[in-house]
Each structure stands twice: as structure tokens, then as C-alpha cells.
Amino acid sequence: MNVVQIIARKRDQRELTEAEICQLVEGYTSGAIADYQMSAWAMAVLLNGMTFDETVALTRAMLESGDRLSWPDSLPVVDKHSTGGIGDKVSIPLAPMLACCGVNVPMISGRGLGPTGGTLDKLESIPGFRTDLSVAEITAQVEKTGCVITGATPEIAPADRKLYALRDVTGTVESIPLITASILSKKLAAGLDALVLDVKFGSGAFMKSIEQASCLARSLVAVGKELGVRTCALLTDMNQVLGSYAGNAIEVAESIELLKGNVAEDLESVTVELGAVLLEQVSPQGLEANRKALRESVSSGRALARFQQMVEQQQGQLGDFRHQVIAEIVADRPGYLLEIDGRAIGYAKIELGAGRKKMEDCLDLEVGIQQVARVGEELTEGQAVFRILSPGTVASEKRERAIRLLQDAFRIGTVEPQPQPLIRQVLVE
Ligand code: URA
């Protein structure tokens, strides 16, 4: 069947065979299928969806478009992926914490685009830190330290690299089967035994409603399992900054504080729960025992030492992060903090230069935002809700635009809101 016929079948809501999906993915990766043909197909998928079998076939074909890491049969190999949020720095402390609990963690991470941040950008705020390790370097580091956080090499899931860039400019990102195949093809290429997904919902997340997030989580868990990896997911609330800080260097500093045991409660509980559910997939000893082991890795100082070792091996030089408050956004009346608009914080970060509008934008890794008050807190007039932090000055027009966004990023009312749990659901097949 030729490409036009395959596209037309999807347009007419007919199910594609595994062979047809492989033909598309191989043809697109090699350059035999043009961008305009692949974007027509992606739009047909966005509008008509894909069956479970089609999604599995697409994920497998994208995974097989490149290299896969392989590991000796020693320790279980695990990873965590987040669909992204504001202030979501969980990967940074979790990788060394897991490595202290008897598993290997080859974490292949990404950069931020739009309101949410990316782990690689955050780690690159550490002077010298390399995020471009080769497959041989990744393998050697994991064998030595038990964890690595680096970017995808060009050999890992090249089909996704090309297709994601195309989807980004053709309005076809928001398709659950396409997101499933994109995330899993990159993650499973690391040769995992188990994977935990932090699927976020809310104003600061890619998925705004819990229903959409739950649909994505179910798709990821089922497809991951079908491809032979024990996959589980947590649905977590992303309606305010996770922890207290959003930025790059400032999030690394907050991650180090977590590893020192000085933590924001929400950040610690999401980190520990993701780790505990993940460890349960490879060595079932009960969630409580896993939580205890993860917390012990912190209280003993081992996780911090492991993090320092990882940074050193990736040629980073940790130093102190110093900043000053360059603006404070305060409550204009007394009352309860009812709501935060996470997306607006993401846009304020972009205005300040801490986030990207386009993939080629350069970042200011030092500037950041602190969320001082939490949803549900009772505020007095003039009490700080947000602060903008930077080691130096920031151009006044950028600062003013960010202040305006942050002034509109919260709502105060007179009725105390009901507290909402941070972790809403755990999905394990
Ligand atoms: N993140 C990915 O890696 N892929 C998507 O399609 C969406 C978010």
C-alpha cells in the first residue's frame, strides 16, 4: 500500500495494520516520506484516534527506529517520567535516591518548551554539567554511580525526534496515542525493567483536567506493559508550584535542600511516592518499606553524596546559588488564597528568560520565581504571594511583564477552600 492510501485509511477511520504503521515510521525516519504527508497522517490520528493495537505498533516502530541500551543482568533498571509541570524538579533528587535503593537509573530527560520546565535546562545551570553523554558514557556512568541524567542521543528514537518537531508546528501534539508513543519510545529505549509516570493535571500542566490526565495515564501504563516493561503511573495535582521555586538554578538548589532533608512537604511526598511505587515493581517488599528506604537514603546523607558523584562524573561543578529578591507580588486584600494559575507562572518564567517560547531560545538559568504562599493559606493584605529572584538585575520591561502576569496569577476569596490531595490516583496494571 502506498503512503497516500495509508493516510486515506486513517482519514476514513479504518484501523491500520502493524506493517502499515512500520512503513510510515520507517519511511518518515529515512526521509522517504515527506513532512507534509506525515503531518496529514498526524492530523488524521489527532481527529480519529488510534486503537490500542495501533498505539502499541506505533510505539514499537518508533522505539525500533533507533538504538536501545542494554544492561548486564545485575541490578534492576528503572526510570521515571513526568508529563511536566511548574517547579517539577522531582527527577533531580529521585534519581540518586533510587540509586541508593539498589536499582540503576539511566534517566533520559528533555528540555522545557512553553510554560513547563525541563530537567536538562535545570541541570545545565550547574557550570560544566554535561547533558550530551554518548551511549558508552551513559552505560559506564550507570555502572559506576547507579544513576545518570542526560539528553537523548541522536541514536535514541530518531523517529520521535522528527515527529515531535513536526507535531509541534502542525497543532498535533494533543493526541493521546501520539503522546503515548512519543514518551514511551524514548523512555523504553533505555532498556528498562520498570517505569513510573507522573501524569500531571491542572492549570500548570499539559493536561488541564484529571479526566484527560487519567486517559493518558491509562494509555501509557497499558502500552508500556504490552511492550514488556512494568509500567505504573501517579496522577498528581499541578495547580501550583511543586515545592516553592520555579526556574532553573533555583530548582537545583531546592533539590539539593531536599537531599539534605530540608524539604517542602509536597515535593518530598511526590518524590517519595513515585520512588516507592516504582521500587515495588522490581522488588515487591511493600510501599511502606520502600518509602522508608528512600527516606533513609536522604537522612543518612547517601543520596546527597550520590548526587554529588553524578554531577562530578558529568563534569559539573556545584557551587552556592545566591540571589536577591528583585520584586515581590503581594495580596491586595486579606482572605484565603483560593487558586493559583500555574500556566501564568510558566509564562512569567518565559518573560524573565527562564523558559522558552521556541526550542532555539537561549535561557537565563539564574532567574526564578518563588511561590511564597500556598493555596488554602489565609493571607493578610500586603503579604507576599510570589517573589522574583535573580543574582543580578533583570531588564525592567521583562520584570514588569512578569510582575503583571504574576499579579493576575492568583485569586483571593473569603471562604476557606477545601484542601485537595496532591496524589489523586495510582495506576498499576
Ligand atoms: N512529551 C513528549 O515527550 N512527547 C509528547 O508528545 C508530549 C510531551
Side-chain angles (χ1 to χ4, degrees), residues 1 28 40 82 96 126 152 155 163 211 244 256 303 373 414 417 423:
M1 190 165 294
Y28 187 56
S82 161
I126 302 171
E155 300 83 30
L163 185 56
E211 291 77 20
S244 300
I256 293 172
T414 50
I423 300 170

Side-chain angles (χ1 to χ4, degrees), residues 309-387:
Q309 198 182 350
M310 177 183 89
V311 170
E312 201 173 297
Q313 282 189 4
Q314 293 184 234
Q315 292 165 32
Q317 282 165 2
L318 286 168
D320 283 342
F321 175 64
R322 294 180 200 287
H323 59 258
Q324 56 192 15
V325 178
I326 59 164
E328 196 159 72
I329 292 84
V330 300
D332 58 358
R333 70 198 116 118
Y336 291 99
L337 183 56
L338 296 184
E339 206 174 72
I340 294 271
D341 178 358
R343 206 174 168 78
I345 304 174
Y347 285 124
K349 257 177 57 190
I350 294 176
E351 287 302 343
L352 292 166
R356 300 191 173 77
K357 280 187 195 143
K358 297 188 272 33
M359 215 56 216
E360 52 283 10
D361 291 348
C362 282
L363 296 183
D364 176 345
L365 297 172
E366 304 289 315
V367 70
I369 295 169
Q370 178 183 10
Q371 184 185 321
V372 188
R374 306 303 293 173
V375 170
E377 203 173 315
E378 193 172 4
L379 304 173
T380 53
E381 188 180 337
Q383 188 173 332
V385 178
F386 298 111
R387 291 190 185 118

Side-chain angles (χ1 to χ4, degrees), residues 109-161:
S109 293
R111 294 186 187 283
L113 182 62
T116 60
T119 303
L120 295 186
D121 300 319
K122 294 169 198 182
L123 286 170
E124 282 175 358
S125 70
I126 302 171
F129 190 91
R130 281 188 56 208
T131 56
D132 61 348
L133 303 191
S134 66
V135 169
E137 287 171 319
I138 295 173
T139 319
Q141 183 170 321
V142 169
E143 271 162 23
K144 204 164 162 197
T145 314
C147 59
V148 65
I149 307 181
T150 185
T153 70
E155 300 83 30
I156 289 180
D160 176 63
R161 194 172 276 245

Side-chain angles (χ1 to χ4, degrees), residues 32-45:
I33 294 178
D35 279 349
Y36 52 81
Q37 292 177 307
M38 206 59 182
S39 49
W41 173 80
M43 185 57 80
V45 170

Side-chain angles (χ1 to χ4, degrees), residues 15-302:
E15 185 169 356
L16 300 184
T17 63
E18 177 150 20
E20 287 161 347
I21 290 173
C22 284
Q23 188 183 336
L24 272 178
V25 172
E26 281 166 18
Y28 187 56
T29 313
S30 70
I33 294 178
D35 279 349
Y36 52 81
Q37 292 177 307
M38 206 59 182
S39 49
W41 173 80
M43 185 57 80
V45 170
L46 179 98
L47 298 174
N48 295 333
M50 272 185 144
T51 64
F52 174 70
D53 288 348
E54 285 179 307
T55 313
V56 170
L58 178 65
T59 310
R60 188 181 283 124
M62 285 169 53
L63 172 62
E64 287 173 358
S65 71
D67 291 351
R68 290 164 83 168
L69 306 189
S70 58
W71 306 97
D73 277 337
S74 49
L75 296 178
V77 180
V78 303
D79 195 4
K80 165 255 171 194
H81 176 82
S82 161
T83 54
I86 313 293
D88 180 5
K89 72 265 311 161
V90 167
S91 293
I92 300 172
L94 183 57
M97 285 164 71
L98 285 167
C100 291
C101 294
V103 290
N104 280 336
V105 193
M107 200 177 266
I108 309 290
S109 293
R111 294 186 187 283
L113 182 62
T116 60
T119 303
L120 295 186
D121 300 319
K122 294 169 198 182
L123 286 170
E124 282 175 358
S125 70
I126 302 171
F129 190 91
R130 281 188 56 208
T131 56
D132 61 348
L133 303 191
S134 66
V135 169
E137 287 171 319
I138 295 173
T139 319
Q141 183 170 321
V142 169
E143 271 162 23
K144 204 164 162 197
T145 314
C147 59
V148 65
I149 307 181
T150 185
T153 70
E155 300 83 30
I156 289 180
D160 176 63
R161 194 172 276 245
K162 242 183 131 178
L163 185 56
Y164 192 27
L166 184 75
R167 287 166 54 217
D168 195 32
V169 293
T170 55
T172 52
V173 169
E174 280 89 1
S175 150
I176 286 186
L178 295 181
I179 299 171
T180 301
S182 168
I183 291 175
L184 289 180
S185 62
K186 287 184 289 249
K187 283 284 164 181
L188 302 194
L192 306 180
D193 296 305
L195 172 67
V196 65
L197 297 141
D198 184 3
V199 182
K200 299 200 166 289
F201 65 90
S203 65
F206 184 50
M207 297 279 162
K208 299 289 165 251
S209 72
I210 190 163
E211 291 77 20
Q212 286 172 310
S214 168
C215 216
L216 175 60
R218 279 186 274 116
S219 170
L220 287 162
V221 168
V223 174
K225 183 171 171 245
E226 185 67 21
L227 292 173
V229 175
R230 278 161 265 168
T231 310
C232 47
L234 266 60
L235 287 186
T236 65
D237 183 293
M238 188 21 80
N239 282 298
Q240 58 184 332
V241 173
L242 185 62
S244 300
Y245 299 95
N248 294 289
I250 192 107
E251 291 196 38
V252 174
E254 190 173 28
S255 303
I256 293 172
E257 286 307 308
L258 191 155
L259 291 171
K260 287 181 176 167
N262 310 324
V263 288
E265 201 186 303
D266 60 341
L267 176 61
E268 199 261 359
S269 71
V270 172
T271 307
V272 167
E273 212 51 32
L274 283 162
V277 172
L278 179 57
L279 288 174
E280 198 58 17
Q281 305 300 304
V282 288
S283 55
Q285 51 171 359
L287 288 177
E288 205 37 55
N290 297 338
R291 290 184 194 112
K292 199 162 164 247
L294 289 157
R295 291 198 165 110
E296 196 277 329
S297 77
V298 172
S299 58
S300 63
R302 289 185 304 127

